[in-house]
Amino acid sequence: MVLNGQYSGWSDVLSGVPQALVLGPLLFVIFINDIDGGIAGKILKFADDTKSFYKVWSANDIDSLRNDLNNLVSWSKEWLMLFNVEKCKVMHICYNSCAEYDMDGNKLETATEKKDLGVKVSDNLKWDKQCSEAVIKANKILGMNMNTFIR
């Protein structure tokens, strides 16, 4: 790379996918394609976002989910693509007491709601907050339009 006539030095790239290329997203998907190996639950992948979920009915199911998290951490260490554990959350969709989970010794925070691909999902599976946000956003746009155009 050249900046103000100065060249940067070369260095080894140990992992990752080239940025700003048409092939970047495809290469990333290929790179993480084996992340679900050895996982008992389900995994959803979208770009750099990974969700693991599991139906928990018993203590054995809790152990299986914890094992899945350990397998994900092992995969991330092997491929030098560590999870940002601070961004990892647990959402319990249940009415009973819920277990605690960790990744690489760090306890995962429990979330009661999370935005996923623009949709707010809550642990009670109700849509009221999503609808309220949509109404607020629509009213802002309506107000801006009414103040912009001559009546």
Side-chain angles (χ1 to χ4, degrees), residues 26-47:
L26 176 62
L27 292 172
F28 183 77
V29 169
I30 292 168
F31 185 77
I32 67 163
N33 197 41
D34 67 339
I35 194 171
D36 47 3
I39 302 295
K42 303 280 185 193
I43 286 192
L44 297 175
K45 299 175 273 191
F46 182 79

Side-chain angles (χ1 to χ4, degrees), residues 95-108:
Y95 294 103
N96 55 359
S97 63
C98 301
E100 293 182 354
Y101 299 93
D102 70 89
M103 288 182 79
D104 203 23
N106 299 302
K107 181 183 171 196
L108 296 180

Side-chain angles (χ1 to χ4, degrees), residues 82-120:
L82 303 178
F83 287 98
N84 184 347
V85 179
E86 290 180 15
K87 289 185 176 182
C88 296
K89 309 285 184 231
V90 174
M91 182 179 291
H92 302 284
I93 300 175
C94 61
Y95 294 103
N96 55 359
S97 63
C98 301
E100 293 182 354
Y101 299 93
D102 70 89
M103 288 182 79
D104 203 23
N106 299 302
K107 181 183 171 196
L108 296 180
E109 185 181 322
T110 300
T112 57
E113 62 185 36
K114 192 81 172 117
K115 202 164 214 173
D116 184 32
L117 300 176
V119 177
K120 188 165 273 195

Side-chain angles (χ1 to χ4, degrees), residues 1-67:
M1 175 183 274
V2 179
L3 180 64
N4 293 331
Q6 298 293 316
Y7 288 88
S8 62
W10 289 92
S11 70
D12 294 333
V13 177
L14 302 176
S15 71
V17 172
Q19 299 292 310
L21 294 176
V22 174
L23 285 177
L26 176 62
L27 292 172
F28 183 77
V29 169
I30 292 168
F31 185 77
I32 67 163
N33 197 41
D34 67 339
I35 194 171
D36 47 3
I39 302 295
K42 303 280 185 193
I43 286 192
L44 297 175
K45 299 175 273 191
F46 182 79
D48 65 346
D49 190 22
T50 304
K51 287 171 220 50
S52 177
F53 58 98
Y54 201 91
K55 290 181 186 178
V56 175
W57 299 103
S58 67
N60 288 339
D61 294 337
I62 292 170
D63 291 338
S64 291
L65 182 51
R66 287 179 176 152
N67 190 51

Side-chain angles (χ1 to χ4, degrees), residues 93-150:
I93 300 175
C94 61
Y95 294 103
N96 55 359
S97 63
C98 301
E100 293 182 354
Y101 299 93
D102 70 89
M103 288 182 79
D104 203 23
N106 299 302
K107 181 183 171 196
L108 296 180
E109 185 181 322
T110 300
T112 57
E113 62 185 36
K114 192 81 172 117
K115 202 164 214 173
D116 184 32
L117 300 176
V119 177
K120 188 165 273 195
V121 179
S122 64
D123 60 356
N124 62 8
L125 297 180
K126 293 188 179 178
W127 295 92
D128 54 339
K129 291 184 182 178
Q130 173 70 26
C131 294
S132 295
E133 283 188 13
V135 168
I136 290 168
K137 187 174 181 180
N139 282 333
K140 284 181 183 178
I141 293 170
L142 179 62
M144 187 172 51
N145 285 342
M146 291 184 73
N147 290 329
T148 302
F149 297 106
I150 300 172

